[in-house]
Amino acid sequence: MALQTLTTLANVLYRDYDKVIRGQIFSKTPALSNLQKNVGVTPLKNNTFYFKSASTGHSGVYHDNGAAGADLLTGEPTYDEPSVSVRFSWGTHQLTDTTLDAIDGDPSAVVDTAEEFAMRVKESMQKDLNRQFYQRGDTEANNAVIATVNGASTGTTVTIDNGPTTVNAIGPSLGTWFLYEGSLIDIGTDAEMGADTDVEATISTVDTATTFTISSAATIVDNDNITFRDSDNNEMSGMRSIADSDNTFQGIARGSNYWAVAHVEETAEGLTEDRMITAFIEANKFGEVNGILIGTQLYRKYASLLTSMKRTSSPQQSLLAGFTGLEFAAGGSGQAVILDHSCPYGDVDFVTFKPEAIVFGEMSAGWMNRGEGIFKPTSLRSSYWATYKTHGNFIARNFKAHARLGAKTT
């Protein structure tokens, strides 16, 4: 039997794990599973999505006494054109030449290796895109934050916020949930991130839910932001950007455009049904909320608010993918309160998952392959690398169809 070449191996790997990732990249996440792609948006070659948004209704509706002879008054709806920049996500891995030698000529080993790498890339990218759905992105202040330092240090151990003992309007307060051994991170203030004067570190070990170790000692300041390396100003715009009232979002300055102001309530306090009812009704004035997304701790808090008279005999089903959760109803049929572990502590998101309200703008997705196969040689090293990419952004087409509570505690 002839030995397989790298080209043959690359082709086999492409067939075997392109389908694995492409079919599952948005699976098992309530938000990503229900976002349609590129509905009503135009991707252009300058890496920007453009779309029309009705800023007011039709002004040609009026009343008179019905007498003939007068011209009818005319009107029109008004539109604005928000725009969204494409953000670039990558998932890269590397195989040594000795690994390729070890599986050379063994088709089953090729497939096993392909599936293993496919699963790891899929899981990590899926989790990262899901994280970005909930947080601030693009060039907003304090964007791309994955954790917040809790206590100054000068060694290698870093302690970070973790709810319910700490709630942070900037970071997600989910401890080490988004961190991995080997992750390259930046630590510093938002200004330091922008000036590239932050601390650059590598995570050696993830030790507990609130601590991790970096590879060399560094001076860390309390309340510093932690981001993935060079992620500042380069991540997608999530719900903390979408459901807001005072930021400039998708090119629209909300301070002078009331039509773009979403309902957001961020009083630091315990979660209450009253706050949830208000947010739900406000979003439903302009949309049709069919997903209420919440993290672990506040999901438990909401469950404790429900008396036996309010509970249903079975979990409420919601969203296109069939996710289930505790029921919530206000002024209409019940919707499910869905648990998502990547939702920041303190946040409750009310989302209209319909293409006229929110979509995922996708410029491209798949393995980097310009005809040379997905494996490419590493310069001057006996290894080969492959990269999966997702180029796009979350796009709110109806700003007021969504709402958010923030800074809520148990």
Side-chain angles (χ1 to χ4, degrees), residues 141-154:
N142 298 305
N143 66 81
V145 178
I146 56 175
T148 304
V149 174
N150 188 336
S153 64
T154 57

Side-chain angles (χ1 to χ4, degrees), residues 221-296:
V221 179
D222 188 30
N223 288 322
D224 269 354
N225 295 338
I226 300 175
T227 70
F228 288 122
R229 181 70 51 80
D230 298 331
S231 290
D232 182 55
N233 297 339
N234 289 316
E235 289 197 348
M236 302 182 195
S237 291
M239 288 304 297
R240 283 187 169 182
S241 294
I242 294 170
D244 208 344
S245 59
D246 57 1
N247 60 339
T248 295
F249 177 65
Q250 294 182 173
I252 305 298
R254 282 172 155 153
S256 55
N257 290 279
Y258 173 70
W259 65 268
V261 176
H263 177 83
V264 58
E265 202 290 317
E266 296 180 295
T267 304
E269 62 185 2
L271 178 65
T272 65
E273 286 185 275
D274 181 65
R275 294 293 196 193
M276 294 180 66
I277 290 170
T278 300
F280 184 77
I281 291 175
E282 288 299 314
N284 270 346
K285 288 180 181 178
F286 304 93
E288 187 177 341
V289 173
N290 56 350
I292 304 172
L293 304 172
I294 194 169
T296 307

Side-chain angles (χ1 to χ4, degrees), residues 151-173:
S153 64
T154 57
T156 58
T157 299
V158 181
T159 302
I160 56 180
D161 286 351
N162 188 38
T165 57
T166 52
V167 58
N168 191 295
I170 296 174
S173 293

